Amino acid sequence: MCQQSPCRPLTSPMTSMRGVRLVSHRAMSSCPSAAIGYSTSLADTMSGCPSTAIVKSTSPAVTMSGCPFAAIVKATAPAVAPKVREIVDDFYPRMFSNSPEAKAFFNPANQFKEPPLQRMALANAVVAYATSIDDLSKLTGALEIIAHKHCGLGVKPRHYSIVHQNLMESIGHVMGDAVTPEVGEGWSEAVLALAKNLCELEAKLYAESAGRRGGWKGVKDFRVAGTRRVATDCVELTFKPVDGAGPIDFTPGQFLTLHLHKQGSTPRHYTVTNAPGKDYLQCCPKLVEGGFVSSALHGMKEGDVVGVSAPFGTFKLSGRPAVLCSAGVGATPMKCFLDSAPEQVKFVLHIDRDEAAHPFRKEMEASSAGTHFHYTDAGGRPEAAALVEGALKPYLAECDFFLCGPPPFLADMSAALKAAGARSIHLDVFGPALAQPN
């Protein structure tokens, strides 16, 4: 349970918007949210609760009672949505300036490289939350992914106060006078409610992780016990806990989070590639050109020490017969599935540049599952529909499909599988999962 004190700032949400002038152009008799003025003029005379009609026109299921914060957010979402990228572009520099410690949670590549995936993910999350606030069950899967990643990073309830403070300032700065005190309070309460839900979910995940065999909470030191090159630019690292505790349980498909003891590094998530129940954890980082963390990991030697957060993540087998489809370093969860539940895997499809770049090819070939490998240097980029028709069609009726790889691969393969009638498709997304709109 998230305690109220760390999740809610000590100041009121309106006074926390430093330097932002919050002006209500008209006195509202009962519903101040109408002052956002996206479909009526701010100068119009308001009476009663005009935003009720606006909300009902877009979502008949919404009901109002004294204009609670959910109704205000829903009513003003069309005004905020076009400005949300400006809001998040203001938010991150503001937060890093006001709270430099927050930088430790963010991969700089996702912040500043085009496209800025982390900023896009937050922008999409804000829009999704605002438009679905009357039925948050639509966001359950997305919130679970966020919570698992937060646990790997070590996010605590107090960090939500930092986000809330700076996000509200950015909303006020970008939206200007449209943010009346009442509208600002509605959005503030909505952000706090979301933070409370995440705090509670993360507290549960932390407890479950610590309670597993070999589990722990927070960051624990592990020693490099071995390195193995499995492809041209991929090295599998083996880590054993410094305190010798083991074996370690987790759900196949989950990721560990590495915290390097190096100045300037930020945490990174990597899929665990070994089966549960061992006295070690393995992962397989791909060398990224110019990547500070991946270069450091590829330079590690036996005996080096690194901080590790316990495994988290929502990608897992369903218990039904499975087909594994991967591209590039997306082979990593597939290797874990093959080690953990070989009897469930009926077929493995993998796409890569060439045979030398293919991680865990030998493990895939040694399994009892059927295989199809396609190398783009020799055969060009394959059409997803052709792969489904030529290799996967016999498995559409009985199998669940598990996909991991670059976003274009995920989009193309999932679309082709759906079109062919696949009944269940599961995606594992590397990087901010919400960076791409649905």
Side-chain angles (χ1 to χ4, degrees):
M1 172 76 72
C2 169
Q3 299 301 312
Q4 190 175 41
S5 55
C7 286
R8 179 183 294 272
L10 297 178
T11 58
S12 79
M14 292 303 96
T15 57
S16 71
M17 292 173 132
R18 296 188 301 242
V20 178
R21 187 166 65 93
L22 303 176
V23 178
S24 177
H25 290 262
R26 290 281 186 229
M28 308 296 166
S29 60
S30 66
C31 185
S33 66
I36 198 72
Y38 61 87
S39 63
T40 57
S41 168
L42 286 175
D44 286 347
T45 301
M46 308 292 183
S47 62
C49 187
S51 71
T52 303
I54 297 168
V55 176
K56 285 183 177 178
S57 69
T58 57
S59 179
V62 176
T63 58
M64 300 263 194
S65 177
C67 295
F69 74 80
I72 292 175
V73 171
K74 186 83 172 182
T76 57
V80 174
K83 297 284 189 179
V84 73
R85 179 60 192 272
E86 291 181 54
I87 291 170
V88 298
D89 282 347
D90 180 88
F91 163 72
Y92 281 106
R94 183 186 297 272
M95 179 174 67
F96 294 154
S97 176
N98 292 339
S99 303
E101 67 273 21
K103 290 182 180 179
F105 294 105
F106 296 93
N107 181 346
N110 291 336
Q111 274 292 315
F112 305 112
K113 185 177 67 175
E114 288 296 331
L117 297 180
Q118 182 63 49
R119 298 188 185 200
M120 292 167 62
L122 178 59
N124 290 337
V126 169
V127 172
Y129 181 55
T131 56
S132 303
I133 198 165
D134 54 319
D135 183 12
L136 292 180
S137 64
K138 301 174 184 176
L139 303 181
T140 299
L143 293 179
E144 287 181 350
I145 292 172
I146 291 170
H148 277 267
K149 291 193 173 185
H150 281 182
C151 288
L153 295 171
V155 171
K156 299 294 190 296
R158 68 177 183 275
H159 298 126
Y160 286 100
S161 294
I162 295 173
V163 171
H164 172 264
Q165 170 88 11
N166 289 281
L167 183 58
M168 293 310 301
E169 290 181 11
S170 292
I171 291 173
H173 175 73
V174 172
M175 300 302 296
D177 288 351
V179 184
T180 67
E182 297 84 359
V183 169
E185 185 171 6
W187 276 86
S188 177
E189 289 298 319
V191 172
L192 290 171
L194 178 60
K196 181 176 183 292
N197 287 338
L198 286 170
C199 285
E200 292 175 350
L201 178 54
E202 288 158 20
K204 179 182 177 182
L205 293 174
Y206 280 129
E208 289 176 352
S209 174
R212 292 184 298 208
R213 184 175 59 158
W216 69 97
K217 188 175 181 179
V219 179
K220 178 176 174 177
D221 277 347
F222 278 62
R223 184 173 285 111
V224 177
T227 65
R228 178 172 73 105
R229 183 161 297 280
V230 297
T232 306
D233 51 7
C234 294
V235 171
E236 186 176 52
L237 302 172
T238 300
F239 301 101
K240 289 191 174 184
V242 170
D243 64 11
I248 302 169
D249 282 342
F250 60 91
T251 301
Q254 290 188 315
F255 58 83
L256 54 77
T257 306
L258 297 182
H259 304 252
L260 299 189
H261 301 310
K262 286 181 176 289
Q263 184 68 30
S265 69
T266 53
R268 294 291 190 278
H269 306 305
Y270 294 101
T271 303
V272 182
T273 54
N274 62 281
K278 311 294 185 183
D279 65 349
Y280 57 82
L281 293 173
Q282 293 176 316
C283 70
C284 182
K286 178 180 178 179
L287 183 62
V288 177
E289 184 177 356
F292 179 82
V293 172
S294 68
S295 296
L297 292 173
H298 274 246
M300 283 195 156
K301 299 178 176 58
E302 289 190 25
D304 289 346
V305 174
V306 61
V308 180
S309 294
F312 293 98
T314 61
F315 191 57
K316 60 183 179 181
L317 291 170
S318 60
R320 288 173 38 81
V323 171
L324 312 181
C325 303
S326 57
V329 77
T332 52
M334 311 315 178
K335 193 262 190 177
C336 182
F337 290 157
L338 286 170
D339 281 358
S340 306
E343 72 286 352
Q344 290 185 39
V345 180
K346 304 305 178 184
F347 195 81
V348 179
L349 179 145
H350 184 79
I351 300 172
D352 226 309
R353 185 175 64 251
D354 54 37
E355 183 175 337
H358 181 165
F360 305 116
R361 176 186 168 105
K362 291 180 180 179
E363 287 82 354
M364 292 178 177
E365 289 179 324
S367 72
S368 60
T371 60
H372 177 82
F373 305 146
H374 181 96
Y375 300 126
T376 57
D377 277 359
R381 189 170 299 279
E383 292 290 332
L387 289 173
V388 172
E389 180 66 25
L392 305 180
K393 190 174 181 179
Y395 305 95
L396 290 172
E398 68 164 346
C399 292
D400 290 354
F401 291 80
F402 298 83
L403 279 58
C404 188
F409 169 80
L410 296 178
D412 292 348
M413 284 300 299
S414 59
L417 285 166
K418 287 177 184 176
R423 54 174 286 173
S424 183
I425 304 168
H426 307 261
L427 307 183
D428 192 18
V429 180
F430 292 163
L434 300 179
Q436 301 294 328
N438 292 329

